[in-house]
């Protein structure tokens, strides 16, 4: 599929000075999928200036009309899902059904954000308390203005839409800088949105490499929603600090699953194999470590190994595991596997020889030293490490012994035990008897702790990230006591202190 973006004509793809061009390459074949402009600082500033005007118009539409437009956009995405899946396959190597599933997740989030923005962000009255009974108080959440969204390539629609849909529903305009590995999907997102909102450039795309992202950070946008690696997140935060631009950082992870004695081993193995190797393991909430109790360790390893060994690897649209999208990642994956094996880990399926660029075939490692790179750093490949633990206490301690804190999972038949473990796992999200399922639930906030970043997309928290609380206190009548006035007398204070002691100074 060949997609060559227009550099001038559409309002959604910002114009750029003639110059450097970005080629989007098919990771399996090296073919050019499309060419896109590299937007420089000036072009980014122009896009943000256009977005400012569009933001005023868009926020003026109000919740109901914005909902109508977002739902119209959603329907367009549904109608054109096959075309998008092929484009995602061409740019990232992702199998087309995985691309469709990812898009379904994005569709759910557009729907949830559109339908809940008024309830979460709209004006509501709040109680004032006895000392302020002369006031009527209300709070509402107002749009910030223009949001800069910087996205990765691994989930090129689900991830950015997790910020974009919520920012738009909250009444902001968006300037989106997709990854240099998936600019076509970025352009497609803006193009389909412009079908539903043709009047103003409410959602624009700027394309390019790191410097285009940095220009967006410096452009005076009102907030930056960044998703990508922890290392780049730190750079983004430093650049945003220059202009005191607030930032959300959705970064990498090293997610663990805990499998207990009483787990359904068949179900756990099936889900964990996909959670680790689906999307060729290039998933921020991919399962990279499994901690399994002694009693079920061998059965679990056997089952995961059988599933992993049977995965169909290839460049076809219907393969189960596609190529590694980013060529530089292949060496990191190779290094982690080699290091784990050299340090005593056992390769139950595959090994260093599984790295055959642009593909990495499934690798299952067991008994890997806890301080090896495969256990401490994000591998981002179709590999999993499975280590045995005495009991669940050891499992929780080891799962939490990471500087990341994005997702986690637990398998046990006991709901009370599962809930207790879920609460103790130091991560933003935990799934019980499933993997990664929280990402598809519109109402559930998504985000991490530690090196996985901060801030939340999705759910009510995700809407509030893109809005500022506005508090209004209206005086209905004058207070009988002139407290905030130079007319205040000692007897007024005496009286108010008597009331305060009565209200707050008694009891335990
Ligand atoms: P990356 O950090 O290389 O790039 C992310 C984006 O940042 C790209 O658009 C890139 O062009 C841009 N960028 C690069 N340098 C920049 C700079 N100095 N200033 C501003 N922008 C800059 O990440 P990637 O390889 O595209 O994505 C993979 C990473 O993303 C993995 O670590 C993965 O775990 C993480 N991820 C996290 C989530 C999440 O929700 N937490 C979701 C998906 C991916």
């Amino acid at each position: 599929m060949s997609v060559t973006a227009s550099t001038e004509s559409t309002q959604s793809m910002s114009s750029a000075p003639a110059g450097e061009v970005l080629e989007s390459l098919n990771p399996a074949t090296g073919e050019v999928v499309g060419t896109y402009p590299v937007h420089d600082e000036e072009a980014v500033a122009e896009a943000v200036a256009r977005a400012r005007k569009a933001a005023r118009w868009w926020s003026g539409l109000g919740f109901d009309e914005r909902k109508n437009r977002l739902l119209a956009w959603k329907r367009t995405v549904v109608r054109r899902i096959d075309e998008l899946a092929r484009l995602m396959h061409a740019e990232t190597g992702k199998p087309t059904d995985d691309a469709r599933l990812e898009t379904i997740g994005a569709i759910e989030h557009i729907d949830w954000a559109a339908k809940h923005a008024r309830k979460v962000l709209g004006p509501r009255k709040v109680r004032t308390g006895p000392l302020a009974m002369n006031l009527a108080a209300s709070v509402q959440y107002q749009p910030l203005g223009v949001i800069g969204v910087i996205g990765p390539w691994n989930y090129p629609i689900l991830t950015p839409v997790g910020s974009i849909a919520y920012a738009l529903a909250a009444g902001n305009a968006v300037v989106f800088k997709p990854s240099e590995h998936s600019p076509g999907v970025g352009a497609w997102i803006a193009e389909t949105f412009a079908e539903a909102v043709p009047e103003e450039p409410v959602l624009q795309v700027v394309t390019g490499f790191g410097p285009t992202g940095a220009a967006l950070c410096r452009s005076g946008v009102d907030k930056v929603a960044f998703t990508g690696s922890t290392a780049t997140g730190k750079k983004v935060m430093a650049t945003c600090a220059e202009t005191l631009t607030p930032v959300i950082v959705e970064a990498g992870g090293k997610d663990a699953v805990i499998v207990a004695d009483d787990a359904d081993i068949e179900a756990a193995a099936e889900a964990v194999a996909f959670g680790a190797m689906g999307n060729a393991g290039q998933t921020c909430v991919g399962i990279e470590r499994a901690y399994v109790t002694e009693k079920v360790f061998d059965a679990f390893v056997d089952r995961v190994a059988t599933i992993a060994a049977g995965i169909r690897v290839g460049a076809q649209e219907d393969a189960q595991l596609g190529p590694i999208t980013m060529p530089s990642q292949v060496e990191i994956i190779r290094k982690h596997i080699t290091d784990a094996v050299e340090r005593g880990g056992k390769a139950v399926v595959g090994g260093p020889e599984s790295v055959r660029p642009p593909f990495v075939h499934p690798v299952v490692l067991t008994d890997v030293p806890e301080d090896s790179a495969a256990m401490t750093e994000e591998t981002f490949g179709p590999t999993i490490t499975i280590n045995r633990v005495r009991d669940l206490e050891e499992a929780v301690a080891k799962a939490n012994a990471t500087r990341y804190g994005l997702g986690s999972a637990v398998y046990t038949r006991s709901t009370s035990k599962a809930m207790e473990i879920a609460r103790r796992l130091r991560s933003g999200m935990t799934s019980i008897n499933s993997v990664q399922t929280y990402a598809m639930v519109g109402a559930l906030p998504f985000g991490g702790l530690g090196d996985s970043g901060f801030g939340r997309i999705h759910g009510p928290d995700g809407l509030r990230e893109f809005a500022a609380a506005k508090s209004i206190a209206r005086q209905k009548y004058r207070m009988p006591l002139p407290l905030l006035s130079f007319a205040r007398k000692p007897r007024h204070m005496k009286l108010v202190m008597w009331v305060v002691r009565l209200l707050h100074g008694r009891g335990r």
Side-chain angles (χ1 to χ4, degrees):
M1 175 165 192
S2 176
V3 180
T4 304
S6 136
T7 55
E8 298 293 342
S9 57
T10 70
Q11 57 172 225
S12 52
M13 172 67 80
S14 301
S15 62
E20 216 190 327
V21 161
L22 160 62
E23 286 187 334
S24 167
L25 303 178
N26 181 317
T29 62
E31 274 170 46
V32 177
V33 180
T35 56
Y36 297 85
V38 172
H39 287 101
D40 62 10
E41 208 160 303
E42 204 184 320
V44 171
E46 284 167 12
V48 173
R50 281 192 296 275
R52 263 230 183 272
K53 180 170 162 283
R56 282 192 289 276
W57 174 81
W58 179 244
S59 77
L61 289 187
F63 288 111
D64 290 346
E65 184 55 17
R66 286 201 298 271
K67 178 172 89 176
N68 292 339
R69 300 302 188 97
L70 284 164
L71 296 180
W73 178 37
K74 178 190 76 168
R75 289 190 292 273
T76 306
V77 175
V78 174
R79 204 177 58 246
R80 293 174 59 180
I81 194 167
D82 291 335
E83 161 202 333
L84 175 63
R86 284 194 298 276
L87 175 59
M88 286 163 77
H89 172 73
E91 284 200 318
T92 69
K94 194 186 289 270
T96 44
D97 275 347
D98 286 352
R100 283 185 190 92
L101 263 184
E102 180 190 331
T103 309
I104 292 167
I107 288 164
E108 284 290 321
H109 285 293
I110 297 171
D111 184 77
W112 197 92
K115 290 180 179 164
H116 291 81
R118 175 191 281 285
K119 184 156 184 267
V120 175
L121 304 174
R124 65 184 158 83
K125 289 185 182 149
V126 295
R127 291 172 73 94
T128 53
L131 283 170
M133 59 202 289
N134 62 325
L135 302 179
S138 67
V139 62
Q140 67 190 84
Y141 292 82
Q142 297 180 324
L144 298 174
V146 179
I147 307 298
V149 174
I150 300 175
W153 48 266
N154 62 332
Y155 285 84
I157 181 152
L158 178 59
T159 293
V161 163
S163 295
I164 291 170
Y166 290 78
L168 292 171
N172 304 281
V174 170
V175 178
F176 170 38
K177 200 313 253 165
S179 164
E180 51 273 38
H181 298 286
S182 56
V185 177
W188 190 95
I189 291 172
E191 181 200 313
T192 49
F193 181 80
E195 274 185 32
V197 184
E199 296 93 333
E200 292 279 343
V202 173
L203 170 58
Q204 297 173 82
V205 162
V206 289
T207 45
F209 301 89
T212 304
L216 188 55
C217 296
R218 289 198 179 94
S219 65
V221 289
D222 299 288
K223 189 161 193 170
V224 167
F226 167 80
T227 308
S229 63
T230 306
T232 309
K234 290 177 186 174
K235 289 188 202 162
V236 163
M237 212 176 152
T239 310
C240 285
E242 293 168 15
T243 47
L244 211 64
T245 302
V247 57
I248 306 170
V249 174
E250 297 287 352
K254 191 74 192 170
D255 291 6
V257 60
I258 293 176
V259 182
D261 279 354
D262 64 347
D264 178 340
I265 295 302
E266 179 62 36
E270 191 187 322
V272 169
F274 187 80
M277 291 162 195
N279 204 33
Q282 305 166 112
T283 302
C284 55
V285 287
I287 300 287
E288 299 214 353
R289 301 173 294 150
Y291 292 108
V292 184
T293 50
E294 286 281 5
K295 197 173 140 199
V296 289
F297 182 83
D298 290 339
F300 180 78
V301 170
D302 277 359
R303 199 59 203 117
V304 172
T306 306
I307 297 168
I311 295 174
R312 271 183 290 111
V313 181
Q316 315 85 293
E317 287 194 352
D318 65 348
Q320 290 177 305
L321 199 157
I324 300 302
T325 309
M326 208 170 50
S328 58
Q329 194 65 26
V330 171
E331 280 319 305
I332 295 172
I333 301 168
R334 190 200 305 272
K335 198 183 93 196
H336 287 196
I337 300 168
T338 308
D339 176 58
V341 173
E342 282 176 1
R343 297 184 53 193
K346 287 186 216 124
V348 179
V349 174
E353 71 283 1
S354 304
V355 181
R356 287 172 246 161
F359 299 98
V360 175
H361 292 249
V363 177
V364 178
L365 300 162
T366 63
D367 305 295
V368 181
E370 287 292 326
D371 61 350
S372 66
M375 298 302 286
T376 59
E377 293 167 25
E378 189 177 48
T379 306
F380 232 51
T383 65
I384 186 164
T385 58
I386 311 178
N387 279 357
R388 65 186 86 224
V389 285
R390 272 187 322 277
D391 53 26
L392 294 177
E393 280 306 307
E394 186 185 352
V396 171
K398 286 191 165 158
N400 283 346
T402 169
R403 55 181 206 276
Y404 293 105
L406 196 52
S408 55
V410 55
Y411 272 83
T412 161
R413 284 193 168 90
S414 157
T415 301
S416 59
K417 196 168 24 172
M419 290 301 287
E420 193 227 313
I421 290 172
R423 291 190 183 107
R424 288 175 59 199
L425 284 169
R426 193 185 148 278
S427 65
M429 297 80 60
T430 300
S431 54
I432 295 174
N433 295 334
S434 62
V435 294
Q436 300 157 358
T437 36
Y438 43 74
M440 303 293 250
V441 180
L444 278 180
F446 183 102
L449 300 167
D451 271 12
S452 295
F454 51 84
R456 292 292 180 268
I457 56 171
H458 305 174
D461 301 66
L463 283 167
R464 288 193 200 103
E465 281 284 359
F466 300 106
K470 175 76 185 186
S471 301
I472 300 177
R474 179 175 62 83
Q475 181 160 293
K476 294 183 288 186
Y477 53 85
R478 277 175 75 113
M479 273 281 261
L481 300 179
L483 295 179
L484 299 178
S485 158
F486 292 115
R488 187 178 64 213
K489 298 280 183 300
R491 65 186 153 84
H492 297 135
M493 275 314 289
K494 212 169 150 188
L495 189 57
V496 83
M497 283 314 299
W498 179 80
V499 175
V500 167
R501 285 194 185 99
L502 200 67
L503 287 174
H504 301 296
R506 297 179 311 164
R508 294 200 301 159

